[in-house]
Amino acid sequence: MGDRLIILFEAQSTWSPNILIRPLLYVATTYQNYINERNLDVYSSKKISIPKPELYVIYTGDHKERPKEMILSEEFLTDI
C-alpha cells in the first residue's frame, strides 16, 4: 500500500479493438482479489484504500494496423 501500485502488462502481437477491454477486466479481477485477501468491506460506510493501477499494453505487431488513438467511451459505450 502507500506508494505501491498495481501494474498490469499485456503483450499483444495481433491487433484487436478489444485491447481496451481486457486491461479493465484484469484490473477489476486484481482489485477483487486484493479486497478479498485483505477482508476489506466494500459495503462499509468507511472508505477503503486500494493501490493505484497502471495498465500497459505492449503491442509488437504491425503499427500500420492500429489506430493512433482509441477512446473507450467512443469505441464501446455507444447507443445500440
Side-chain angles (χ1 to χ4, degrees):
M1 276 311 285
D3 59 352
R4 290 187 331 178
L5 305 172
I6 294 176
I7 301 176
L8 303 172
F9 288 90
E10 176 179 341
Q12 186 69 33
S13 63
T14 305
W15 178 252
S16 167
N18 297 323
I19 212 165
L20 292 175
I21 296 295
R22 289 193 304 268
L24 292 175
L25 296 174
Y26 301 153
V27 77
T29 299
T30 301
Y31 275 140
Q32 185 173 19
N33 291 339
Y34 180 90
I35 289 166
N36 290 340
E37 289 170 3
R38 287 158 183 77
N39 295 316
L40 300 176
D41 184 3
V42 296
Y43 299 103
S44 170
S45 60
K46 183 180 175 187
K47 183 170 83 173
I48 64 170
S49 294
I50 56 174
K52 178 182 173 185
E54 288 188 19
L55 309 172
Y56 298 95
V57 174
I58 301 169
Y59 179 64
T60 60
D62 183 358
H63 291 275
K64 294 177 187 172
E65 294 179 15
R66 64 154 174 85
K68 184 175 180 177
E69 178 180 90
M70 292 178 71
I71 299 171
L72 181 69
S73 60
E74 290 177 6
E75 294 290 329
F76 294 96
L77 305 177
T78 59
D79 293 336
I80 296 177

